[in-house]
Amino acid sequence: MSTVLTTLLAMVMFSMGCNVEIQKFLGHIKRPWGICVGFLCQFGIMPLTGFILSVASGVLPVQAVVVLIMGCCPGGTGSNILAYWIDGDMDLSVSMTTCSTLLALGMMPLCLFIYTKMWVDSGTIVIPYDSIGISLVALVIPVSIGMFVNHKWPQKAKIILKIGSIAGAILIVLIAVVGGILYQSAWIIEPKLWIIGTVYPIAGYSLGFFLARLAGQPWYRCRTVALETGMQNTQLCSTIVQLSFSPEDLNLVFTFPLIYTVFQLVFAAIILGIYVTYKKCCGKNDAEFLEKTNNEMDPRPSIHETNKGFQPDEK
């Protein structure tokens, strides 16, 4: 099962790399304001929120570690699709997902070291850093190869992207079905984990949006950052949990990534519904408020204009 999960997840990450255009990706690296905000949300807000929720709810140390692993995971590929549907910044979304995937190689072990110190020092749990590190390295490589394939053969990359999307859906179903059979007792879990799985994605969406707005980003980028923050790569979390913990521990934590998956999709659908309703009522999206039809910027003051560290987009 571990081999199948790792292979399918590598396919998903490879297909995600096929969706990244190197020139646009480098463009965001050269003007990294949006990515920096996303980085702060992804590896600052989410792990801290997970730690606070774990301590406040009093879950077991091994359960708290899995909550933190979820918070340290990079953005999921579903956020790229939703960013398109809500008129977000697609280049920023893909760049944030890619950067967070690459940076997770160092940031996930670092965040786990910082936030699990109280449990590790007391001897109540041992963090399997070697297994987590191997899983992350094995997934960063397919992303890099996918970027190269998209650069050399963009038409073939589109086909690979479709296959990878299907593989991602199969992966979620496979984890749920096979894992449910192997760890049947894992479905009988404490209500605390249900509460954390419900609150966690809401906190990610909300805090990501408000931090991006506070940093002076335009509305469409705020929506993008919000999705990238709250929508985690739950397939990666499930795979790391499968590969890193004993069967006894899995009975306590296996279902949390699935709970998070359900609620992150539910709240993402609610956000999408609200935005679609807003567009129908107003008849336009906020991009029209940022620019005039003659490509001159709207003279009305806004937060991102007063913050000189951020420059308005020029289309």
Side-chain angles (χ1 to χ4, degrees):
M1 180 179 178
S2 297
T3 303
V4 173
L5 287 176
T6 304
T7 302
L8 278 175
L9 187 58
M11 288 180 60
V12 174
M13 303 303 284
F14 173 59
S15 67
M16 188 191 74
C18 290
N19 196 34
V20 179
E21 295 183 23
I22 294 180
Q23 294 300 324
K24 293 181 178 179
F25 176 72
L26 293 176
H28 276 289
I29 296 297
K30 293 177 182 178
R31 297 179 59 191
W33 305 117
I35 291 179
C36 288
V37 173
F39 172 83
L40 182 58
C41 293
Q42 193 70 62
F43 298 111
I45 287 178
M46 290 301 284
L48 178 59
T49 303
F51 176 76
I52 292 173
L53 289 173
S54 299
V55 173
S57 60
V59 295
L60 296 173
V62 66
Q63 294 172 330
V65 170
V66 174
V67 173
L68 287 168
I69 289 176
M70 178 63 75
C72 298
C73 278
T77 53
S79 61
N80 305 140
I81 299 172
L82 285 168
Y84 173 79
W85 285 344
I86 65 168
D87 298 325
D89 189 332
M90 281 298 297
D91 292 336
L92 176 62
S93 177
V94 174
S95 297
M96 283 180 61
T97 302
T98 306
C99 285
S100 63
T101 301
L102 299 175
L103 292 171
L105 188 62
M107 292 305 300
M108 181 180 288
L110 177 61
C111 290
L112 289 175
F113 174 78
I114 294 172
Y115 289 109
T116 62
K117 195 171 181 60
M118 59 182 291
W119 296 300
V120 172
D121 290 346
S122 64
T124 56
I125 193 170
V126 176
I127 307 299
Y129 288 109
D130 52 348
S131 299
I132 293 174
I134 292 172
S135 302
L136 289 171
V137 170
L139 296 174
V140 167
I141 294 174
V143 172
S144 305
I145 297 175
M147 294 173 65
F148 175 77
V149 170
N150 189 32
H151 178 67
K152 287 290 186 180
W153 305 284
Q155 295 301 321
K156 293 182 179 179
K158 293 180 181 179
I159 299 175
I160 295 172
L161 181 61
K162 294 180 180 179
I163 296 174
S165 301
I166 297 172
I170 294 174
L171 180 60
I172 294 175
V173 175
L174 184 65
I175 291 174
V177 174
V178 179
I181 295 173
L182 293 179
Y183 308 105
Q184 294 182 20
S185 60
W187 294 101
I188 307 174
I189 60 174
E190 301 178 49
K192 296 176 182 178
L193 282 183
W194 283 97
I195 295 173
I196 293 176
T198 305
V199 174
Y200 208 177
I202 296 177
Y205 290 134
S206 303
L207 294 174
F209 182 89
F210 288 117
L211 182 61
R213 191 57 186 165
L214 185 65
Q217 296 294 282
W219 292 108
Y220 70 106
R221 282 189 173 173
C222 291
R223 297 194 298 270
T224 304
V225 173
L227 288 175
E228 289 293 329
T229 304
M231 184 159 283
Q232 301 292 81
N233 191 334
T234 53
Q235 301 103 315
L236 175 59
C237 182
S238 295
T239 304
I240 289 177
V241 170
Q242 287 275 356
L243 299 177
S244 303
F245 292 95
S246 66
E248 293 77 15
D249 289 336
L250 282 174
N251 281 327
L252 298 172
V253 301
F254 172 77
T255 49
F256 180 75
L258 302 179
I259 294 171
Y260 191 98
T261 299
V262 170
F263 286 105
Q264 79 170 2
L265 292 175
V266 167
F267 294 122
I270 292 173
I271 292 171
L272 176 62
I274 293 174
Y275 180 71
V276 170
T277 303
Y278 164 78
K279 281 184 65 176
K280 288 184 177 179
C281 292
C282 298
K284 54 187 175 181
N285 59 51
D286 58 52
E288 298 178 29
F289 292 102
L290 295 175
E291 295 181 310
K292 292 183 178 180
T293 55
N294 62 357
N295 291 329
E296 293 181 2
M297 295 303 300
D298 194 324
R300 290 180 297 169
S302 64
I303 296 176
H304 72 275
E305 290 175 331
T306 59
N307 186 344
K308 299 304 180 182
F310 299 88
Q311 297 298 325
D313 288 346
E314 294 179 3
K315 295 184 179 179

PDB file of all heavy atoms in Angstrom, residues 238-267:
ATOM      1  N   SER A 238      -1.442  12.456   4.239  1.00  0.00           N
ATOM      2  CA  SER A 238      -1.849  11.063   4.425  1.00  0.00           C
ATOM      3  C   SER A 238      -0.706  10.102   4.127  1.00  0.00           C
ATOM      4  O   SER A 238      -0.485   9.122   4.851  1.00  0.00           O
ATOM      5  CB  SER A 238      -3.041  10.730   3.520  1.00  0.00           C
ATOM      6  OG  SER A 238      -4.171  11.478   3.883  1.00  0.00           O
ATOM      7  N   THR A 239       0.044  10.398   3.059  1.00  0.00           N
ATOM      8  CA  THR A 239       1.152   9.519   2.695  1.00  0.00           C
ATOM      9  C   THR A 239       2.256   9.549   3.743  1.00  0.00           C
ATOM     10  O   THR A 239       2.802   8.509   4.118  1.00  0.00           O
ATOM     11  CB  THR A 239       1.721   9.923   1.322  1.00  0.00           C
ATOM     12  OG1 THR A 239       0.674   9.918   0.350  1.00  0.00           O
ATOM     13  CG2 THR A 239       2.805   8.961   0.882  1.00  0.00           C
ATOM     14  N   ILE A 240       2.596  10.744   4.229  1.00  0.00           N
ATOM     15  CA  ILE A 240       3.622  10.862   5.258  1.00  0.00           C
ATOM     16  C   ILE A 240       3.199  10.126   6.526  1.00  0.00           C
ATOM     17  O   ILE A 240       3.998   9.426   7.157  1.00  0.00           O
ATOM     18  CB  ILE A 240       3.911  12.343   5.567  1.00  0.00           C
ATOM     19  CG1 ILE A 240       4.654  12.999   4.398  1.00  0.00           C
ATOM     20  CG2 ILE A 240       4.738  12.484   6.844  1.00  0.00           C
ATOM     21  CD1 ILE A 240       4.906  14.475   4.579  1.00  0.00           C
ATOM     22  N   VAL A 241       1.934  10.280   6.896  1.00  0.00           N
ATOM     23  CA  VAL A 241       1.423   9.590   8.087  1.00  0.00           C
ATOM     24  C   VAL A 241       1.507   8.077   7.893  1.00  0.00           C
ATOM     25  O   VAL A 241       1.928   7.337   8.793  1.00  0.00           O
ATOM     26  CB  VAL A 241      -0.030  10.025   8.372  1.00  0.00           C
ATOM     27  CG1 VAL A 241      -0.655   9.134   9.447  1.00  0.00           C
ATOM     28  CG2 VAL A 241      -0.055  11.474   8.842  1.00  0.00           C
ATOM     29  N   GLN A 242       1.124   7.602   6.695  1.00  0.00           N
ATOM     30  CA  GLN A 242       1.170   6.164   6.415  1.00  0.00           C
ATOM     31  C   GLN A 242       2.591   5.616   6.515  1.00  0.00           C
ATOM     32  O   GLN A 242       2.815   4.517   7.007  1.00  0.00           O
ATOM     33  CB  GLN A 242       0.619   5.892   5.005  1.00  0.00           C
ATOM     34  CG  GLN A 242      -0.871   6.043   4.881  1.00  0.00           C
ATOM     35  CD  GLN A 242      -1.603   4.764   5.273  1.00  0.00           C
ATOM     36  OE1 GLN A 242      -0.996   3.751   5.567  1.00  0.00           O
ATOM     37  NE2 GLN A 242      -2.920   4.835   5.287  1.00  0.00           N
ATOM     38  N   LEU A 243       3.549   6.389   6.018  1.00  0.00           N
ATOM     39  CA  LEU A 243       4.924   5.908   5.939  1.00  0.00           C
ATOM     40  C   LEU A 243       5.712   6.120   7.228  1.00  0.00           C
ATOM     41  O   LEU A 243       6.785   5.540   7.386  1.00  0.00           O
ATOM     42  CB  LEU A 243       5.657   6.603   4.778  1.00  0.00           C
ATOM     43  CG  LEU A 243       5.089   6.395   3.373  1.00  0.00           C
ATOM     44  CD1 LEU A 243       5.884   7.199   2.358  1.00  0.00           C
ATOM     45  CD2 LEU A 243       5.097   4.921   2.998  1.00  0.00           C
ATOM     46  N   SER A 244       5.208   6.960   8.124  1.00  0.00           N
ATOM     47  CA  SER A 244       6.029   7.395   9.252  1.00  0.00           C
ATOM     48  C   SER A 244       5.604   6.840  10.605  1.00  0.00           C
ATOM     49  O   SER A 244       6.393   6.884  11.551  1.00  0.00           O
ATOM     50  CB  SER A 244       6.019   8.934   9.324  1.00  0.00           C
ATOM     51  OG  SER A 244       6.481   9.502   8.112  1.00  0.00           O
ATOM     52  N   PHE A 245       4.378   6.340  10.728  1.00  0.00           N
ATOM     53  CA  PHE A 245       3.891   5.942  12.049  1.00  0.00           C
ATOM     54  C   PHE A 245       3.573   4.455  12.092  1.00  0.00           C
ATOM     55  O   PHE A 245       3.278   3.832  11.066  1.00  0.00           O
ATOM     56  CB  PHE A 245       2.651   6.762  12.428  1.00  0.00           C
ATOM     57  CG  PHE A 245       2.947   8.210  12.669  1.00  0.00           C
ATOM     58  CD1 PHE A 245       2.799   9.146  11.657  1.00  0.00           C
ATOM     59  CD2 PHE A 245       3.382   8.653  13.913  1.00  0.00           C
ATOM     60  CE1 PHE A 245       3.073  10.484  11.876  1.00  0.00           C
ATOM     61  CE2 PHE A 245       3.656   9.984  14.132  1.00  0.00           C
ATOM     62  CZ  PHE A 245       3.507  10.901  13.116  1.00  0.00           C
ATOM     63  N   SER A 246       3.628   3.924  13.294  1.00  0.00           N
ATOM     64  CA  SER A 246       3.328   2.509  13.503  1.00  0.00           C
ATOM     65  C   SER A 246       1.825   2.263  13.368  1.00  0.00           C
ATOM     66  O   SER A 246       1.024   3.194  13.480  1.00  0.00           O
ATOM     67  CB  SER A 246       3.800   2.086  14.898  1.00  0.00           C
ATOM     68  OG  SER A 246       3.048   2.759  15.896  1.00  0.00           O
ATOM     69  N   PRO A 247       1.415   0.986  13.145  1.00  0.00           N
ATOM     70  CA  PRO A 247      -0.021   0.685  13.053  1.00  0.00           C
ATOM     71  C   PRO A 247      -0.799   1.113  14.299  1.00  0.00           C
ATOM     72  O   PRO A 247      -1.961   1.526  14.189  1.00  0.00           O
ATOM     73  CB  PRO A 247      -0.042  -0.838  12.881  1.00  0.00           C
ATOM     74  CG  PRO A 247       1.258  -1.163  12.232  1.00  0.00           C
ATOM     75  CD  PRO A 247       2.241  -0.186  12.810  1.00  0.00           C
ATOM     76  N   GLU A 248      -0.164   1.017  15.468  1.00  0.00           N
ATOM     77  CA  GLU A 248      -0.850   1.436  16.698  1.00  0.00           C
ATOM     78  C   GLU A 248      -1.153   2.936  16.671  1.00  0.00           C
ATOM     79  O   GLU A 248      -2.253   3.364  17.049  1.00  0.00           O
ATOM     80  CB  GLU A 248      -0.003   1.086  17.921  1.00  0.00           C
ATOM     81  CG  GLU A 248       0.158  -0.401  18.188  1.00  0.00           C
ATOM     82  CD  GLU A 248       1.169  -1.052  17.237  1.00  0.00           C
ATOM     83  OE1 GLU A 248       1.927  -0.304  16.578  1.00  0.00           O
ATOM     84  OE2 GLU A 248       1.174  -2.287  17.146  1.00  0.00           O
ATOM     85  N   ASP A 249      -0.167   3.721  16.244  1.00  0.00           N
ATOM     86  CA  ASP A 249      -0.384   5.169  16.163  1.00  0.00           C
ATOM     87  C   ASP A 249      -1.374   5.524  15.064  1.00  0.00           C
ATOM     88  O   ASP A 249      -2.157   6.480  15.196  1.00  0.00           O
ATOM     89  CB  ASP A 249       0.951   5.889  15.917  1.00  0.00           C
ATOM     90  CG  ASP A 249       1.854   5.866  17.143  1.00  0.00           C
ATOM     91  OD1 ASP A 249       1.323   5.728  18.262  1.00  0.00           O
ATOM     92  OD2 ASP A 249       3.079   5.976  16.972  1.00  0.00           O
ATOM     93  N   LEU A 250      -1.335   4.764  13.963  1.00  0.00           N
ATOM     94  CA  LEU A 250      -2.250   5.056  12.853  1.00  0.00           C
ATOM     95  C   LEU A 250      -3.711   4.899  13.265  1.00  0.00           C
ATOM     96  O   LEU A 250      -4.584   5.597  12.747  1.00  0.00           O
ATOM     97  CB  LEU A 250      -1.941   4.140  11.667  1.00  0.00           C
ATOM     98  CG  LEU A 250      -0.724   4.521  10.824  1.00  0.00           C
ATOM     99  CD1 LEU A 250      -0.443   3.462   9.776  1.00  0.00           C
ATOM    100  CD2 LEU A 250      -0.912   5.874  10.167  1.00  0.00           C
ATOM    101  N   ASN A 251      -3.970   3.997  14.193  1.00  0.00           N
ATOM    102  CA  ASN A 251      -5.343   3.843  14.681  1.00  0.00           C
ATOM    103  C   ASN A 251      -5.846   5.102  15.374  1.00  0.00           C
ATOM    104  O   ASN A 251      -7.048   5.327  15.484  1.00  0.00           O
ATOM    105  CB  ASN A 251      -5.430   2.662  15.649  1.00  0.00           C
ATOM    106  CG  ASN A 251      -5.474   1.335  14.921  1.00  0.00           C
ATOM    107  OD1 ASN A 251      -6.022   1.247  13.829  1.00  0.00           O
ATOM    108  ND2 ASN A 251      -4.892   0.310  15.512  1.00  0.00           N
ATOM    109  N   LEU A 252      -4.922   5.942  15.841  1.00  0.00           N
ATOM    110  CA  LEU A 252      -5.300   7.167  16.546  1.00  0.00           C
ATOM    111  C   LEU A 252      -5.369   8.383  15.623  1.00  0.00           C
ATOM    112  O   LEU A 252      -6.044   9.361  15.943  1.00  0.00           O
ATOM    113  CB  LEU A 252      -4.298   7.453  17.671  1.00  0.00           C
ATOM    114  CG  LEU A 252      -4.180   6.399  18.783  1.00  0.00           C
ATOM    115  CD1 LEU A 252      -3.015   6.734  19.712  1.00  0.00           C
ATOM    116  CD2 LEU A 252      -5.476   6.310  19.574  1.00  0.00           C
ATOM    117  N   VAL A 253      -4.654   8.329  14.476  1.00  0.00           N
ATOM    118  CA  VAL A 253      -4.492   9.556  13.689  1.00  0.00           C
ATOM    119  C   VAL A 253      -4.881   9.419  12.219  1.00  0.00           C
ATOM    120  O   VAL A 253      -4.942  10.422  11.503  1.00  0.00           O
ATOM    121  CB  VAL A 253      -3.025  10.042  13.760  1.00  0.00           C
ATOM    122  CG1 VAL A 253      -2.617  10.303  15.193  1.00  0.00           C
ATOM    123  CG2 VAL A 253      -2.076   9.018  13.121  1.00  0.00           C
ATOM    124  N   PHE A 254      -5.127   8.199  11.748  1.00  0.00           N
ATOM    125  CA  PHE A 254      -5.281   7.994  10.308  1.00  0.00           C
ATOM    126  C   PHE A 254      -6.392   8.838   9.697  1.00  0.00           C
ATOM    127  O   PHE A 254      -6.274   9.325   8.563  1.00  0.00           O
ATOM    128  CB  PHE A 254      -5.552   6.501  10.031  1.00  0.00           C
ATOM    129  CG  PHE A 254      -5.905   6.226   8.606  1.00  0.00           C
ATOM    130  CD1 PHE A 254      -4.930   6.206   7.627  1.00  0.00           C
ATOM    131  CD2 PHE A 254      -7.224   5.998   8.230  1.00  0.00           C
ATOM    132  CE1 PHE A 254      -5.260   5.964   6.308  1.00  0.00           C
ATOM    133  CE2 PHE A 254      -7.556   5.751   6.911  1.00  0.00           C
ATOM    134  CZ  PHE A 254      -6.568   5.730   5.953  1.00  0.00           C
ATOM    135  N   THR A 255      -7.481   9.020  10.416  1.00  0.00           N
ATOM    136  CA  THR A 255      -8.649   9.673   9.822  1.00  0.00           C
ATOM    137  C   THR A 255      -8.550  11.202   9.787  1.00  0.00           C
ATOM    138  O   THR A 255      -9.325  11.839   9.062  1.00  0.00           O
ATOM    139  CB  THR A 255      -9.926   9.304  10.600  1.00  0.00           C
ATOM    140  OG1 THR A 255      -9.686   9.496  11.999  1.00  0.00           O
ATOM    141  CG2 THR A 255     -10.306   7.866  10.353  1.00  0.00           C
ATOM    142  N   PHE A 256      -7.618  11.793  10.515  1.00  0.00           N
ATOM    143  CA  PHE A 256      -7.594  13.265  10.554  1.00  0.00           C
ATOM    144  C   PHE A 256      -7.371  13.897   9.176  1.00  0.00           C
ATOM    145  O   PHE A 256      -8.069  14.868   8.828  1.00  0.00           O
ATOM    146  CB  PHE A 256      -6.535  13.769  11.539  1.00  0.00           C
ATOM    147  CG  PHE A 256      -6.480  15.275  11.599  1.00  0.00           C
ATOM    148  CD1 PHE A 256      -7.457  15.991  12.267  1.00  0.00           C
ATOM    149  CD2 PHE A 256      -5.473  15.974  10.950  1.00  0.00           C
ATOM    150  CE1 PHE A 256      -7.428  17.374  12.304  1.00  0.00           C
ATOM    151  CE2 PHE A 256      -5.433  17.354  10.973  1.00  0.00           C
ATOM    152  CZ  PHE A 256      -6.411  18.053  11.659  1.00  0.00           C
ATOM    153  N   PRO A 257      -6.394  13.424   8.361  1.00  0.00           N
ATOM    154  CA  PRO A 257      -6.255  14.022   7.021  1.00  0.00           C
ATOM    155  C   PRO A 257      -7.534  13.929   6.191  1.00  0.00           C
ATOM    156  O   PRO A 257      -7.844  14.839   5.414  1.00  0.00           O
ATOM    157  CB  PRO A 257      -5.122  13.199   6.389  1.00  0.00           C
ATOM    158  CG  PRO A 257      -4.331  12.707   7.548  1.00  0.00           C
ATOM    159  CD  PRO A 257      -5.344  12.426   8.613  1.00  0.00           C
ATOM    160  N   LEU A 258      -8.290  12.843   6.356  1.00  0.00           N
ATOM    161  CA  LEU A 258      -9.542  12.693   5.612  1.00  0.00           C
ATOM    162  C   LEU A 258     -10.596  13.674   6.116  1.00  0.00           C
ATOM    163  O   LEU A 258     -11.361  14.240   5.323  1.00  0.00           O
ATOM    164  CB  LEU A 258     -10.052  11.265   5.733  1.00  0.00           C
ATOM    165  CG  LEU A 258      -9.094  10.166   5.248  1.00  0.00           C
ATOM    166  CD1 LEU A 258      -9.719   8.795   5.444  1.00  0.00           C
ATOM    167  CD2 LEU A 258      -8.723  10.376   3.791  1.00  0.00           C
ATOM    168  N   ILE A 259     -10.636  13.874   7.433  1.00  0.00           N
ATOM    169  CA  ILE A 259     -11.566  14.857   8.000  1.00  0.00           C
ATOM    170  C   ILE A 259     -11.247  16.248   7.469  1.00  0.00           C
ATOM    171  O   ILE A 259     -12.136  17.001   7.046  1.00  0.00           O
ATOM    172  CB  ILE A 259     -11.500  14.844   9.542  1.00  0.00           C
ATOM    173  CG1 ILE A 259     -12.016  13.505  10.079  1.00  0.00           C
ATOM    174  CG2 ILE A 259     -12.305  15.993  10.131  1.00  0.00           C
ATOM    175  CD1 ILE A 259     -11.793  13.328  11.559  1.00  0.00           C
ATOM    176  N   TYR A 260      -9.957  16.599   7.479  1.00  0.00           N
ATOM    177  CA  TYR A 260      -9.542  17.914   6.975  1.00  0.00           C
ATOM    178  C   TYR A 260      -9.904  18.052   5.495  1.00  0.00           C
ATOM    179  O   TYR A 260     -10.365  19.117   5.059  1.00  0.00           O
ATOM    180  CB  TYR A 260      -8.040  18.106   7.174  1.00  0.00           C
ATOM    181  CG  TYR A 260      -7.572  19.516   6.923  1.00  0.00           C
ATOM    182  CD1 TYR A 260      -7.372  20.403   7.971  1.00  0.00           C
ATOM    183  CD2 TYR A 260      -7.339  19.983   5.620  1.00  0.00           C
ATOM    184  CE1 TYR A 260      -6.945  21.700   7.741  1.00  0.00           C
ATOM    185  CE2 TYR A 260      -6.923  21.269   5.382  1.00  0.00           C
ATOM    186  CZ  TYR A 260      -6.729  22.132   6.449  1.00  0.00           C
ATOM    187  OH  TYR A 260      -6.324  23.423   6.212  1.00  0.00           O
ATOM    188  N   THR A 261      -9.697  16.984   4.726  1.00  0.00           N
ATOM    189  CA  THR A 261     -10.026  17.021   3.296  1.00  0.00           C
ATOM    190  C   THR A 261     -11.489  17.364   3.069  1.00  0.00           C
ATOM    191  O   THR A 261     -11.826  18.219   2.234  1.00  0.00           O
ATOM    192  CB  THR A 261      -9.714  15.660   2.650  1.00  0.00           C
ATOM    193  OG1 THR A 261      -8.322  15.367   2.789  1.00  0.00           O
ATOM    194  CG2 THR A 261     -10.075  15.675   1.170  1.00  0.00           C
ATOM    195  N   VAL A 262     -12.360  16.701   3.819  1.00  0.00           N
ATOM    196  CA  VAL A 262     -13.796  16.927   3.653  1.00  0.00           C
ATOM    197  C   VAL A 262     -14.155  18.380   3.938  1.00  0.00           C
ATOM    198  O   VAL A 262     -14.828  19.045   3.128  1.00  0.00           O
ATOM    199  CB  VAL A 262     -14.599  15.982   4.581  1.00  0.00           C
ATOM    200  CG1 VAL A 262     -16.076  16.377   4.587  1.00  0.00           C
ATOM    201  CG2 VAL A 262     -14.442  14.535   4.133  1.00  0.00           C
ATOM    202  N   PHE A 263     -13.692  18.887   5.067  1.00  0.00           N
ATOM    203  CA  PHE A 263     -14.110  20.229   5.465  1.00  0.00           C
ATOM    204  C   PHE A 263     -13.416  21.329   4.662  1.00  0.00           C
ATOM    205  O   PHE A 263     -14.007  22.391   4.432  1.00  0.00           O
ATOM    206  CB  PHE A 263     -13.888  20.428   6.968  1.00  0.00           C
ATOM    207  CG  PHE A 263     -14.894  19.711   7.818  1.00  0.00           C
ATOM    208  CD1 PHE A 263     -14.570  18.559   8.497  1.00  0.00           C
ATOM    209  CD2 PHE A 263     -16.203  20.181   7.909  1.00  0.00           C
ATOM    210  CE1 PHE A 263     -15.506  17.888   9.268  1.00  0.00           C
ATOM    211  CE2 PHE A 263     -17.147  19.523   8.665  1.00  0.00           C
ATOM    212  CZ  PHE A 263     -16.803  18.370   9.349  1.00  0.00           C
ATOM    213  N   GLN A 264     -12.192  21.100   4.196  1.00  0.00           N
ATOM    214  CA  GLN A 264     -11.565  22.119   3.363  1.00  0.00           C
ATOM    215  C   GLN A 264     -12.291  22.234   2.029  1.00  0.00           C
ATOM    216  O   GLN A 264     -12.422  23.332   1.476  1.00  0.00           O
ATOM    217  CB  GLN A 264     -10.075  21.825   3.161  1.00  0.00           C
ATOM    218  CG  GLN A 264      -9.737  20.775   2.125  1.00  0.00           C
ATOM    219  CD  GLN A 264      -8.256  20.715   1.824  1.00  0.00           C
ATOM    220  OE1 GLN A 264      -7.450  21.436   2.406  1.00  0.00           O
ATOM    221  NE2 GLN A 264      -7.864  19.849   0.910  1.00  0.00           N
ATOM    222  N   LEU A 265     -12.808  21.117   1.514  1.00  0.00           N
ATOM    223  CA  LEU A 265     -13.578  21.157   0.273  1.00  0.00           C
ATOM    224  C   LEU A 265     -14.953  21.781   0.488  1.00  0.00           C
ATOM    225  O   LEU A 265     -15.437  22.538  -0.359  1.00  0.00           O
ATOM    226  CB  LEU A 265     -13.727  19.742  -0.288  1.00  0.00           C
ATOM    227  CG  LEU A 265     -12.445  19.082  -0.800  1.00  0.00           C
ATOM    228  CD1 LEU A 265     -12.705  17.643  -1.215  1.00  0.00           C
ATOM    229  CD2 LEU A 265     -11.857  19.873  -1.962  1.00  0.00           C
ATOM    230  N   VAL A 266     -15.580  21.481   1.627  1.00  0.00           N
ATOM    231  CA  VAL A 266     -16.896  22.051   1.933  1.00  0.00           C
ATOM    232  C   VAL A 266     -16.814  23.570   2.021  1.00  0.00           C
ATOM    233  O   VAL A 266     -17.604  24.298   1.393  1.00  0.00           O
ATOM    234  CB  VAL A 266     -17.450  21.465   3.247  1.00  0.00           C
ATOM    235  CG1 VAL A 266     -18.652  22.274   3.729  1.00  0.00           C
ATOM    236  CG2 VAL A 266     -17.833  20.006   3.065  1.00  0.00           C
ATOM    237  N   PHE A 267     -15.842  24.070   2.775  1.00  0.00           N
ATOM    238  CA  PHE A 267     -15.728  25.526   2.943  1.00  0.00           C
ATOM    239  C   PHE A 267     -15.226  26.205   1.672  1.00  0.00           C
ATOM    240  O   PHE A 267     -15.585  27.351   1.396  1.00  0.00           O
ATOM    241  CB  PHE A 267     -14.820  25.847   4.130  1.00  0.00           C
ATOM    242  CG  PHE A 267     -15.392  25.410   5.451  1.00  0.00           C
ATOM    243  CD1 PHE A 267     -14.704  24.524   6.271  1.00  0.00           C
ATOM    244  CD2 PHE A 267     -16.643  25.859   5.867  1.00  0.00           C
ATOM    245  CE1 PHE A 267     -15.237  24.118   7.482  1.00  0.00           C
ATOM    246  CE2 PHE A 267     -17.183  25.444   7.071  1.00  0.00           C
ATOM    247  CZ  PHE A 267     -16.477  24.573   7.881  1.00  0.00           C
TER     248      PHE A 267
END
